[in-house]
Amino acid sequence: MFLLKLIGFLALFRSSYQQFPRACATAEALLSKECCPVWDGDASVCGESSRRGSCQDVSVTDAADGPQFPHFNVDDREKWPLVFYNRTCQCVGNFMGYNCGDCKFGFFGPNCDERRESIRRSIFQLTTAEKNKFIAYLNLAKNTVSTDYVIATGTYIQMNNGSTPMFRNISVYDLFVWMHYYASRDTLLGGSNNVWRDIDFAHEAPAFLPWHRVFLLLWEQGIRKLTGDQNFTVPYWDWRDAQDCDVCTDEYLGGRHPTNPNILSPASFFSSWQVICTKSEEYNRLETLCNGTGEGPILRNPGNHDRIRTPRLPTSAEVEFCLSLTEYETEPMDKFANMSFRNTLEGFADPSDGMANRARSTLHNSLHIFMNGSMSQVQGSANDPIFVLHHVFVDSIFEQWLRRHQLVGAAYPAANAPIGHNHGYHMVPFIPLYRNGDFFLSSRELGYDYAYLLEPGQRFLEEFLVPYLDQARQIWQWLLAAGILGALVAAILVLSVVLTCRKRKRRRSSYEERQPLLHDSDDSQNLNYQTTL
């Protein structure tokens, strides 16, 4: 009931984040190749009147790509975003966004001058109210159509080189599912099933960790814009040494259906969700893109997976070995890289020796395989809300490694990485534009941290004290009423004690001795012992 009420209340808010800005999904914008929308705050292009930014030519890197993708000018994502736009808003200072109307990560306020560090906590450390609110936010995002962004349902060629736009509305949550799909989809080479599969702008290469870091920051910011809750942070699931899926309960992200183990319990909100972008083979056969149409319920059957490929969930020892690796990336900078921190954490290398192993799926990959459903397919994995909790924890391991080895952006490869993964490449398919190497830095510089990585004093405050204080804020009316009632009861008790003491004192005074205990009578022979009793 609480969740339904909260969803109804939050439905008053409408916003979104990322991909093709609605204002740029027109024939005029595509033909001019310019995506420089007006910021409503001052009615100027890119907020130029407020000195937020200006419309500028897009500069793309000319660094050489690796040999993994031998084609040229056949994929819209090459040298992103030049196929669609060669002029976009370039923001300055603490401003960000497709029209410079948002704040950079870590900054808040109408003028983006309020610096604040958000703390991401374990989902099991959230109070009941926080956990319920998180689930309500997910449902709201799933059922709210984005007003700012749309998705492309065809390639640029299929749009007649921009003269016939092919875009479609999408919900806030599904927008991010689609982006994850779009970054990892196969290249259409022309003709049914004529595709190039060895391409991925978000996985199997150096950008895996920075790309997902930006993805999560935008997801977090999108929820804040949607709900108006600027204090919201995405939680994580610490899966080290877990024996089963701890979050797979109806209280959290959905338990198992009582009669069909492949779908979610009807008692879970997520059982009614429809997945999108899961039929990659059909898209390849039809030479089309995912159009965001519902394709069935979330599939999940944790533990009933290929145990030869993934014997169990990751252990603390495996994570520690991964953190001990000193090289972020090694040649050939893809899933065959040995002794690479990125490749080991992603799960293509063995976390016991760092050697690439095609027969095993470990660490990050093992969670996807273990879920044995929607999570197990790369392109559609973000449909399952567990995806977010999982990748937030993966990001925390990336953060641990950065702090332990004190590395800077120079450690990120500048050239010869697979297409889309060089230091200066713009992340696909984000608009506004972000470069891979710009996010190879500590999360603190991006305005967030993890509760379990804090110093002991700060950790106690964030993990134990803050949740209780937050819960107290949620029920402050009840606490105030209880305090007033307690004060009244105490006053009554004190008054009762005082009145009782006074009565007893008066009774004692009325029985005081009115004559000596030993009284001499006229008859000296008679001794009369008299007391008032």
Side-chain angles (χ1 to χ4, degrees), residues 422-434:
N422 285 335
H423 187 287
Y425 211 99
H426 293 126
M427 297 180 180
V428 176
F430 302 142
I431 298 174
L433 306 177
Y434 306 99

Side-chain angles (χ1 to χ4, degrees), residues 382-513:
N383 280 291
D384 192 327
I386 291 178
F387 175 95
V388 176
L389 303 184
H390 168 44
H391 273 275
V392 174
F393 190 67
V394 171
D395 182 75
S396 78
I397 298 174
F398 176 37
E399 181 61 24
Q400 283 192 72
W401 187 84
L402 287 171
R403 295 183 190 181
R404 180 177 298 191
H405 299 283
Q406 297 292 304
L407 294 178
V408 294
Y412 190 95
N416 299 317
I419 186 170
H421 290 263
N422 285 335
H423 187 287
Y425 211 99
H426 293 126
M427 297 180 180
V428 176
F430 302 142
I431 298 174
L433 306 177
Y434 306 99
R435 297 182 187 273
N436 295 319
D438 292 342
F439 292 85
F440 193 80
L441 76 172
S442 173
S443 67
R444 292 167 177 162
E445 297 184 54
L446 298 169
Y448 72 98
D449 205 341
Y450 289 94
Y452 82 103
L453 299 183
L454 297 173
E455 296 298 325
Q458 289 179 293
R459 182 176 177 183
F460 173 79
L461 183 67
E462 289 294 336
E463 291 187 344
F464 301 101
L465 188 57
V466 169
Y468 287 109
L469 291 177
D470 182 75
Q471 195 166 29
R473 283 195 298 269
Q474 299 289 333
I475 60 172
W476 70 268
Q477 299 98 329
W478 294 100
L479 293 176
L480 179 60
I484 294 173
L485 181 60
L488 289 173
V489 171
I492 292 171
L493 289 174
V494 170
L495 184 59
S496 299
V497 170
V498 170
L499 291 175
T500 301
C501 290
R502 286 182 178 178
K503 286 181 180 180
R504 289 182 177 177
K505 186 175 182 180
R506 284 198 297 270
R507 291 176 63 187
R508 282 198 301 270
S509 63
S510 67
Y511 288 116
E512 286 179 350
E513 298 180 70

Side-chain angles (χ1 to χ4, degrees), residues 283-419:
Y283 310 145
N284 292 342
R285 179 176 59 83
L286 298 175
E287 300 178 76
T288 188
L289 301 183
C290 166
N291 63 11
T293 302
E295 298 171 346
I298 292 175
L299 300 179
R300 189 197 300 158
N301 192 345
N304 293 318
H305 60 288
D306 182 352
R307 292 186 177 273
I308 295 178
R309 173 169 289 278
T310 301
R312 50 174 167 66
L313 292 174
T315 66
S316 297
E318 290 171 336
V319 171
E320 183 56 35
F321 173 83
C322 182
L323 287 169
S324 71
L325 296 172
T326 58
E327 296 293 328
Y328 178 76
E329 193 60 270
T330 61
E331 295 289 347
M333 294 188 278
D334 56 20
K335 59 186 175 182
F336 301 106
N338 295 322
M339 304 303 290
S340 155
F341 165 74
R342 186 276 314 163
N343 203 38
T344 304
L345 178 55
E346 190 169 358
F348 293 108
D350 196 305
S352 64
D353 58 15
M355 304 304 291
N357 187 342
R358 298 181 63 181
R360 298 286 298 275
S361 292
T362 59
L363 292 184
H364 155 265
N365 287 346
S366 69
L367 266 292
H368 287 276
I369 299 299
F370 181 86
M371 291 303 160
N372 193 30
S374 301
M375 274 272 282
S376 301
Q377 183 199 48
V378 175
Q379 296 178 15
S381 58
N383 280 291
D384 192 327
I386 291 178
F387 175 95
V388 176
L389 303 184
H390 168 44
H391 273 275
V392 174
F393 190 67
V394 171
D395 182 75
S396 78
I397 298 174
F398 176 37
E399 181 61 24
Q400 283 192 72
W401 187 84
L402 287 171
R403 295 183 190 181
R404 180 177 298 191
H405 299 283
Q406 297 292 304
L407 294 178
V408 294
Y412 190 95
N416 299 317
I419 186 170

Side-chain angles (χ1 to χ4, degrees), residues 135-175:
I135 294 174
Y137 285 176
L138 288 172
N139 275 283
L140 178 66
K142 183 71 172 180
N143 293 285
T144 301
V145 174
S146 169
T147 57
D148 291 341
Y149 291 88
V150 291
I151 60 171
T153 58
T155 65
Y156 193 71
I157 291 178
Q158 290 170 343
M159 296 184 195
N160 294 320
N161 295 325
S163 61
T164 308
M166 297 174 64
F167 297 98
R168 188 175 186 271
N169 288 333
I170 195 77
S171 77
V172 175
Y173 186 94
D174 286 346
L175 176 66

